[in-house]
Amino acid sequence: MYQAMTALGVAAESPYTGPIRLDGDPRGASVLILGAGLAGLVAALELKRAGYRVQVLEYNDRAGGRCWTVRGGDRITELGGETQDCRFDEGHYINPGPWRIPYHHHAVLDYCKRLGVTLEPFVQVNHNALVHGRTAFGGRPQRYRTVMSDYQGGIAELLAKATRQNRLDGMVSREDAEILLESLRSWGALNRDLTYAKSVLTSDRRGFERDPGGGLTARPVPSDPVALKDVLSSRLWSYLATGAIYEFQTTMFQPVGGMDMIARAFAREVGDLIRYNAKVTAIRQDASGVTATVADARGGGQPEQVRADWCLCTIPLAVLAQMELNVSAKMQAAIEAVPYSASVKVGLQFKRRFWEQDEHIYGGISYTDLPIRMISYPSTGYGAAGKGVLLGAYAFGPYAYEFTALPAAERVRRAVEWGATLHPQYREEFESGVSVGWHRVPGNLGCHGMWTDARREEHYDALCALDGRILLAGEHASYIPAWQEGAILSSLDAIGRLHRRVVNA
């Protein structure tokens, strides 16, 4: 999925260069913002500062949308009414939606700075974490570093031999061939004879059988590399590219205390503009304004009408497509054209941080071909005594549907069962868990919009255009889908165009 997103051109540095300037007098114009996710919160903050009269209608009883953190005492209710009560201990949490911020997502980082949201490093790649395949190495998990070292070393040896045998003549000059050999020795940890074999040099990459020490037990014992053919047939090399993808390159960040610290910071600025538990059922526009029909999301009471001069709608398209809405045929077709990804996360609390205490894994992600797909270790609280919470599953596509077709307790049980394949301690140390399947979350009905090149060519411009008095914003109206940066940039672009229309009217 991430490779496909990169191919679609979304792996680019954010063009954000600083706070938006909305110069000019809006002359008391009013804007109705639908949704208090990050796109809606950014719009509310900037439009309020520019002098607009702003109202925000939010379906949930909290701000943030998918910028959400689940803690002990929280209740999760899915479509169909099934509820989960999170029983995590104080200080522990899971981020069901966004959970990391790339260093080149300048808008998110700038708003965190401006709003006083403290950040800390998020560890994406940990060379001491695990990679696992059900049919690889007898189903035994391997350290990320050993697979990477043996893969690179084996490839380097093959290429070095081909170079020495002049098989690259015509592709590199004699001078470049010598430089290539020098680089392969360095990159692949090759020995003097250009082989990748058991030695202190190779063990300094993949790890030692016995680490260097002190005194009479100081002498290290090198480890035995795995043959390249076995690494290739294991297919565990497929996990090595993730950390090289632009969105996941070091350094990454997370807010201290949970991702919703960003939403809470925005809410401190514009919370008085937000009406919570407001379920929008229809959006109608005419020549002079926009009217939204609103009901109490908790039930009871009569629907009412809320009106403004303009409307910025950040409601996810999977929900918006089911509403009564009078926009142009092109915008309506665009709204209906974008499917949403199914995704599930499972958070698991354990009695102790065994991944650190037993296996020396501090942050990072282990990968597997089991339905849980990955295990992410907390990037905070290192070495703390007591309990800890892991992201015990993060799955997309068919596995996400498989998980969320199950009762919540069964999803957690299976995450524990599959996770024990990588960490046998799961069985003794597990305490409680929660799961979030995004296509079963009311108000969202999916994780993120799934664009293709063909859909973008046909529908993207119509989706983002000012349609009468209605504009759309959100990650779905960006070239950075599934990321908070995309939601913020789409919002800034939309309100900038709206402001120019208002000022020039």
Side-chain angles (χ1 to χ4, degrees):
M1 182 194 70
Y2 294 124
Q3 290 171 340
M5 288 169 65
T6 302
L8 290 173
V10 300
E13 185 168 345
S14 167
Y16 181 85
T17 58
I20 190 172
R21 293 185 60 180
L22 300 177
D23 297 328
D25 185 1
R27 298 184 297 277
S30 60
V31 179
L32 179 62
I33 299 173
L34 306 181
L38 285 199
L41 291 170
V42 165
L45 179 66
E46 301 298 353
L47 291 174
K48 174 186 176 182
R49 289 176 174 175
Y52 286 84
R53 292 181 291 118
V54 178
Q55 302 176 76
V56 184
L57 303 180
E58 168 54 43
Y59 176 82
N60 293 298
D61 59 3
R62 56 174 178 83
R66 280 162 282 187
C67 178
W68 179 25
T69 301
V70 175
R71 301 178 178 82
D74 290 345
R75 170 165 288 188
I76 303 170
T77 302
E78 295 187 348
L79 294 178
E82 183 178 16
T83 62
Q84 303 172 71
D85 291 311
C86 182
R87 298 193 301 275
F88 293 165
D89 282 28
E90 185 176 354
H92 298 290
Y93 60 85
I94 178 178
N95 295 312
W99 52 315
R100 49 200 166 174
I101 305 171
Y103 71 88
H104 49 74
H105 282 191
H106 306 305
V108 179
L109 295 177
D110 187 46
Y111 275 105
C112 286
K113 181 179 180 180
R114 289 161 59 191
L115 297 173
V117 178
T118 305
L119 301 176
E120 61 189 354
F122 174 93
V123 180
Q124 172 71 33
V125 177
N126 182 340
H127 289 231
N128 203 41
L130 306 174
V131 287
H132 168 259
R134 280 172 276 196
T135 62
F137 302 107
R140 296 184 302 276
Q142 306 295 305
R143 296 288 184 176
Y144 184 105
R145 65 170 188 274
T146 63
V147 174
M148 184 181 70
S149 300
D150 294 347
Y151 178 70
Q152 289 183 181
I155 296 297
E157 180 179 335
L158 284 178
L159 186 52
K161 288 178 179 178
T163 304
R164 269 290 171 86
Q165 295 168 9
N166 301 318
R167 294 182 183 179
L168 301 184
D169 286 357
M171 290 182 278
V172 294
S173 67
R174 184 180 299 274
E175 181 184 43
D176 286 344
E178 290 303 315
I179 298 174
L180 176 60
L181 287 174
E182 182 183 353
S183 70
L184 290 172
R185 287 191 186 98
S186 174
W187 180 69
L190 302 185
N191 297 312
R192 291 182 178 274
D193 60 356
L194 297 178
T195 61
Y196 180 77
K198 182 178 181 178
S199 67
V200 171
L201 180 64
T202 57
S203 294
D204 203 37
R205 300 287 182 90
R206 71 186 316 278
F208 290 84
E209 183 69 26
R210 186 175 71 195
D211 287 332
L216 294 177
T217 61
R219 187 173 290 107
V221 176
S223 59
D224 291 302
V226 174
L228 179 61
K229 65 180 181 66
D230 295 325
V231 175
L232 293 175
S233 63
S234 75
R235 304 194 72 82
L236 296 182
W237 46 264
S238 63
Y239 300 120
L240 303 180
T242 303
I245 294 173
Y246 191 48
E247 283 91 346
F248 305 128
Q249 292 174 5
T250 305
T251 301
M252 305 188 78
F253 300 97
Q254 64 182 18
V256 173
M259 189 60 73
D260 71 346
M261 292 300 170
I262 299 177
R264 292 185 180 196
F266 273 105
R268 286 194 295 270
E269 300 291 326
V270 297
D272 59 319
L273 307 178
I274 304 173
R275 175 178 169 183
Y276 296 103
N277 298 302
K279 180 180 180 179
V280 177
T281 59
I283 309 165
R284 305 291 299 178
Q285 63 174 324
D286 54 39
S288 60
V290 182
T291 301
T293 302
V294 187
D296 190 328
R298 298 163 296 186
Q302 294 297 315
E304 59 182 284
Q305 310 295 313
V306 179
R307 187 168 175 84
D309 299 327
W310 306 90
C311 175
L312 179 71
C313 179
T314 72
I315 296 172
L317 302 183
V319 178
L320 186 61
Q322 301 180 47
M323 290 184 183
E324 179 186 344
L325 177 67
N326 70 324
V327 291
S328 67
K330 284 187 176 181
M331 177 173 277
Q332 187 65 45
I335 292 169
E336 296 173 356
V338 184
Y340 269 54
S341 169
S343 172
V344 67
K345 283 186 178 178
V346 178
L348 304 173
Q349 178 170 288
F350 294 92
K351 300 172 188 175
R352 64 186 182 94
R353 298 169 72 105
F354 59 81
W355 51 92
E356 295 176 356
Q357 298 164 5
D358 301 348
E359 294 159 320
H360 317 296
I361 299 175
Y362 295 88
I365 300 172
S366 290
Y367 297 95
T368 176
D369 62 359
L370 290 165
I372 57 175
R373 302 306 293 166
M374 65 179 71
I375 297 171
S376 180
Y377 310 94
S379 294
T380 187
Y382 297 131
K387 302 176 183 181
V389 170
L390 295 176
L391 175 61
Y394 185 20
F396 283 86
Y399 283 142
Y401 287 113
E402 178 182 344
F403 260 110
T404 50
L406 301 169
E410 179 64 12
R411 299 175 211 160
V412 171
R413 189 194 70 79
R414 293 197 184 192
V416 172
E417 176 187 337
W418 283 315
T421 304
L422 281 74
H423 297 293
Q425 303 98 314
Y426 265 44
R427 296 186 178 92
E428 288 296 322
E429 306 295 345
F430 170 71
E431 279 197 336
S432 66
V434 294
S435 70
V436 174
W438 278 104
H439 65 289
R440 295 190 61 82
V441 174
N444 289 95
L445 304 184
C447 179
H448 66 87
M450 296 178 64
W451 287 100
T452 63
D453 283 338
R455 286 195 192 104
R456 283 197 189 278
E457 181 68 26
E458 183 176 0
H459 296 294
Y460 184 80
D461 288 351
L463 186 80
C464 298
L466 177 57
D467 190 293
R469 291 179 169 269
I470 295 175
L471 266 171
L472 307 186
E475 55 81 24
H476 49 269
S478 80
Y479 269 73
I480 318 177
W483 290 97
Q484 296 176 113
E485 187 78 2
I488 292 175
L489 294 182
S490 76
S491 182
L492 294 174
D493 175 76
I495 63 175
R497 287 183 285 121
L498 174 61
H499 181 67
R500 288 192 294 273
R501 173 69 66 87
V502 171
V503 170
N504 295 328

